[in-house]
Amino acid sequence: MPVTARLSQEFYDRLGERVANELVDWFNAVDATYREDLQEINDLNFARFDAKHEQRLAEVEARVNVKLTEFEARINGKLAEFEARSDVRLAELEARFDVKLAELEARFDVKLAALEARFDVKLAALEARIDVKLAELETRLERKIAAQTRWLVASWVTVLGAVIGLWFRG
């Protein structure tokens, strides 16, 4: 939202309506340019953050898929090994396998629940860190904008002082 500069009536009387309006338009154009530049920088930073976030999610998904593939391969290997044995031994091994599989599934469920809990805690911590970093970034941006505005006002006052000085001198 651009801020429209307004000058005193005496300024308009001394410089004239056209020159004063040109000066106001120039101030507004400079302000709009700074705002557009800041918006561009913010958009670029968000795009980089979003790309990194997507990349990290893809990496985690790829690692999970690899682990699942390895797990499936190990189970399939064990099944093929059991099938290759004799029929008598097969029945015995199937019974033992069913017992072990139930134990393994129970342990796996416990480990998976623990892993999910750890993942949730890590994810919550990461989200909290991201929130803190975003808040810090927001604070830094606000400080930078305030500093930039101070410099802009100072330069406007300097230019205005020079113009007034030249006006009174001429």
Side-chain angles (χ1 to χ4, degrees):
M1 170 171 88
V3 176
T4 304
R6 178 141 170 78
L7 304 173
S8 70
Q9 186 60 40
E10 183 180 339
F11 195 76
Y12 278 92
D13 292 343
R14 291 213 183 234
L15 288 179
E17 190 76 24
R18 186 176 58 83
V19 172
N21 284 337
E22 283 183 27
L23 186 60
V24 168
D25 290 343
W26 179 78
F27 285 154
N28 288 334
V30 168
D31 186 46
T33 301
Y34 284 139
R35 287 177 186 273
E36 289 171 9
D37 290 348
L38 183 61
Q39 182 63 41
E40 255 181 62
I41 290 170
N42 285 342
D43 290 346
L44 289 173
N45 283 338
F46 181 75
R48 282 195 342 244
F49 169 77
D50 195 35
K52 284 182 183 178
H53 182 56
E54 289 298 324
Q55 176 189 4
R56 288 181 181 144
L57 285 177
E59 289 172 0
V60 167
E61 186 177 335
R63 284 188 284 181
V64 166
N65 286 337
V66 166
K67 290 295 183 182
L68 284 176
T69 303
E70 290 173 359
F71 183 70
E72 287 174 4
R74 284 191 354 229
I75 287 177
N76 289 336
K78 289 291 181 184
L79 288 176
E81 180 182 314
F82 286 128
E83 288 175 358
R85 296 187 184 205
S86 69
D87 291 339
V88 173
R89 183 87 171 121
L90 182 62
E92 179 184 310
L93 287 177
E94 283 179 349
R96 287 176 52 201
F97 178 74
D98 288 340
V99 170
K100 290 292 182 180
L101 184 60
E103 290 173 5
L104 182 62
E105 284 177 346
R107 286 179 33 211
F108 179 74
D109 288 343
V110 169
K111 294 278 185 179
L112 183 60
L115 182 62
E116 285 176 347
R118 285 179 42 211
F119 179 74
D120 288 343
V121 168
K122 295 264 183 188
L123 184 60
L126 179 61
E127 287 174 347
R129 285 179 36 208
I130 287 172
D131 288 343
V132 167
K133 291 295 181 182
L134 283 175
E136 289 174 3
L137 178 63
E138 209 172 87
T139 303
R140 285 178 50 203
L141 280 174
E142 287 173 359
R143 277 191 265 135
K144 293 292 182 182
I145 289 171
Q148 184 180 14
T149 303
R150 283 193 300 275
W151 280 103
L152 184 60
V153 168
S155 65
W156 284 354
V157 167
T158 304
V159 169
L160 187 60
V163 168
I164 291 172
L166 288 174
W167 178 262
F168 284 117
R169 193 171 192 208

